[in-house]
Amino acid sequence: SEQKALETQFAQSQKMQAIGQLAGGVAHDFNNLLQAIMGNCDLLLMRHSAEDPSFEEINEVRQNSVRAAGLVRQLLAFSRQQTLQPKVLALTDTLTELSMLLRRLLGERCELKIDHEADLWAVRADEGQISNAIMNLAVNARDAMPPEGGAVTIRTANFHLTGPKSVGTATMPAGEYVQIDVTDNGLGIAKENISKIFEPFFTTKPTGQGTGLGLSTVYGIVKQTGGFITVDSEVGKGTVFLIFLPRHIIVQGVQAEPPVEPEAAQPAASADITGQ
């Protein structure tokens, strides 16, 4: 039975990978079509003055094409499989761009609220991977909602930690972090499942409705970025996922690279102690 369950989980993971590749391929081809549409709209706008009756309609076509290109860009980021390409990010801008796709993912039953702290610190991370993590958390929050729906709230804040803090099974060292909270007022997570939710293939959803890969993917992305993630939940009241990403400091226009740990001393070559 255990071997059969593992085979089923592996087959499901292969199907999800194939779906991701298919979505990425379709999004790439559709993006090419959108570029042609926007290019032709630009040419038409150059030939028509602002007073022309057709100018407004052409401009509307172009603006909708730009919105569609934004959605396609998020799909490409969601489906890609590559090593991290970190860059300095303003999470306020990243989440604002992502909000359109999130509202589509959540549907009409769920309300999306985004609350940013003023002067949010910068982080250094892969934008596509961070977007992927936020989308996974939002989809999980949507699936945890009662039939009447609810609200998903994403908050960002600067967090200064003065001493080591226990975060899940890890210990977060003192320092400056950017905190991202994804909160829902759904059904919550049972206490006996809290310690297992980041394990691959673990899911509480009915058979055929969950792969158990969403939260493990989020955990891997956060860890690769050098951050920490934990969860707090109460059955019947909702769940909040807390992500802490290290602050990236820019000094006089120069990006401060993270400190490089000194290489461990290489052990001396051992003498030949072979014998009979």
Side-chain angles (χ1 to χ4, degrees), residues 121-124 176-178 245-249:
W121 294 331
V123 298
R124 192 167 189 270
E176 294 179 331
Y177 299 86
V178 175
L245 301 178
R247 177 188 183 184
H248 183 78
I249 301 175

Side-chain angles (χ1 to χ4, degrees), residues 82-116:
Q82 59 185 28
T83 55
L84 294 180
Q85 296 179 348
K87 63 179 181 180
V88 179
L89 297 179
L91 287 178
T92 301
D93 298 335
T94 301
L95 291 175
T96 299
E97 291 184 7
L98 189 63
S99 62
M100 183 183 299
L101 183 57
L102 287 176
R103 286 189 170 89
R104 290 184 177 274
L105 283 172
L106 294 177
E108 297 179 354
R109 291 193 309 115
C110 299
E111 179 186 2
L112 176 64
K113 301 177 183 178
I114 299 181
D115 182 19
H116 297 296

Side-chain angles (χ1 to χ4, degrees), residues 4-16 201:
K4 184 65 177 177
L6 288 173
E7 290 174 354
T8 303
Q9 291 170 351
F10 181 68
Q12 184 68 19
S13 68
Q14 286 183 314
K15 286 194 292 183
M16 295 303 296
F201 302 115

